[in-house]
Amino acid sequence: MGIGMLSLITGRAGPSGFGSASTAEQVTQGIDASNLTAIVTGGAKGIGLETARVLALRGAHVVIGARNLEDANKGKQHIMNENGAARVTVLKLDLCSIKSIEEFAKSFNALDLPLNILINNAGIMFCPFQLSKDGIEVQFATNHLGHFHLTNLLLDKMKRTAKATGIEGRIVNLSSIAHGLTPEGGIKFNRINDKEGYNDKKAYGQSKLANILHANELSRRMKAEGANITVNSVHPGLIMTNLMKYSSILMRIVKVFTILAWKNVPQGAATTCFVALHPSLKGVTGKYFQDCNEYEPSKLARNKVLAKELWDFSNKLVRSA
Ligand SMILES: NC(=O)c1ccc[n+]([C@@H]2O[C@H](COP(=O)([O-])OP(=O)(O)OC[C@H]3O[C@@H](n4cnc5c(N)ncnc54)[C@H](OP(=O)(O)O)[C@@H]3O)[C@@H](O)[C@H]2O)c1
């Protein structure tokens, strides 16, 4: 299953034929996505922008959901400069706000497009304690709860698209290797907004664990319904992006000692693009990938009871918000 640290450093390909050195363009070489529509959250910058660029390069109509429209339009321009035929639409999306998520879903539905692929990519990391617009700890709200609600709002459209076209729908949640560093028990259900016990690193790990649990629970639900939609999660690797803005000194120091384990942005978008588009993953669901190969995530991430508890808890939080 795992191809290990040595392969990460050397870039040696794993069983999929790809590895840590593979780029998003390489893993999607020759794939025709011109009959697909994809949403990429946080597609204005970083790994999300590269994901949007490569999906568009393969012909997909890409909808970038971004809270900063100026950045997103710059991102769109960056894609169009290289590929004038790219189909890219920008829509406002602030994952910290239930209202904004609902407006995004409404605007997307108004476009009357199909929906084949949803990339839950946007994220923030290691920020000081803060509450979202709906009063929820901001890393949990942005990284998990916003995507949980967005996915539920778009699911009907994805199911209808898959049914009408016969093409498998795919949902990809961007998690992280940091899903292994969490508060005790994984998710602080009773103290999610607890400022006193807040640890910025563990709050990030908690939200990234939630990304995997969400993908796995949704995958089970899609299977039970017989919906032609797969749901997987990925760790993109270590990539120096704006994600490090709250920890730039720490991450630069870490990078000095772990330089060989870092990737560039095209490599960072590879696992997402591989899981979203590659034909070899047809029917593969409820799995966790890194370096374009399947890995086993932490024990907590594989806990079905915890995944169900998170599902119910998230529904309750959305309703109360
Ligand atoms: N880079 C890494 O080493 C690494 C490692 C493991 C996992 N990941 C995961 O990969 C994903 C992408 O990270 P990245 O490195 O590409 O980071 P990035 O360059 O900071 O991009 C993140 C994107 O998410 C957007 N975003 C943040 N909060 C948002 C909100 N409330 N509503 C809508 N969009 C929001 C950001 O927009 P703004 O510019 O407006 O904030 C930005 O466009 C994240 O989920 C991250 O956890 C990254």
Side-chain angles (χ1 to χ4, degrees), residues 45 47 67 93-95 121-123 175 204 208 237 239 241 243:
K45 282 186 194 156
I47 302 168
R67 62 175 165 179
L93 170 65
D94 182 354
L95 287 154
N121 163 83
S175 177
Y204 179 70
K208 293 285 123 181
I239 305 102
T241 65
L243 191 72

Side-chain angles (χ1 to χ4, degrees), residues 9-30:
I9 291 169
T10 60
R12 191 181 65 193
S16 71
F18 302 109
S20 62
S22 305
T23 65
E25 284 200 24
Q26 285 166 349
V27 304
T28 57
Q29 192 71 51

Side-chain angles (χ1 to χ4, degrees), residues 110-176:
L111 294 176
D112 208 18
L113 290 168
L115 182 59
N116 307 92
I117 297 171
L118 171 60
I119 314 271
N120 289 322
N121 163 83
I124 48 167
M125 184 175 82
F126 300 170
C127 56
F129 184 83
Q130 226 180 102
L131 292 178
S132 73
K133 294 188 174 117
D134 305 304
I136 296 155
E137 187 280 308
V138 82
Q139 297 197 69
F140 190 77
T142 307
N143 298 352
H144 166 64
L145 197 68
H147 284 125
F148 173 83
H149 190 44
L150 177 72
T151 305
N152 282 345
L153 292 176
L154 296 171
L155 213 47
D156 240 21
K157 168 75 88 176
M158 287 197 79
K159 287 181 199 167
R160 277 188 276 119
T161 302
K163 207 167 191 176
T165 59
I167 301 170
E168 177 182 87
R170 292 190 183 184
I171 298 172
V172 185
N173 280 4
L174 269 278
S175 177
S176 167

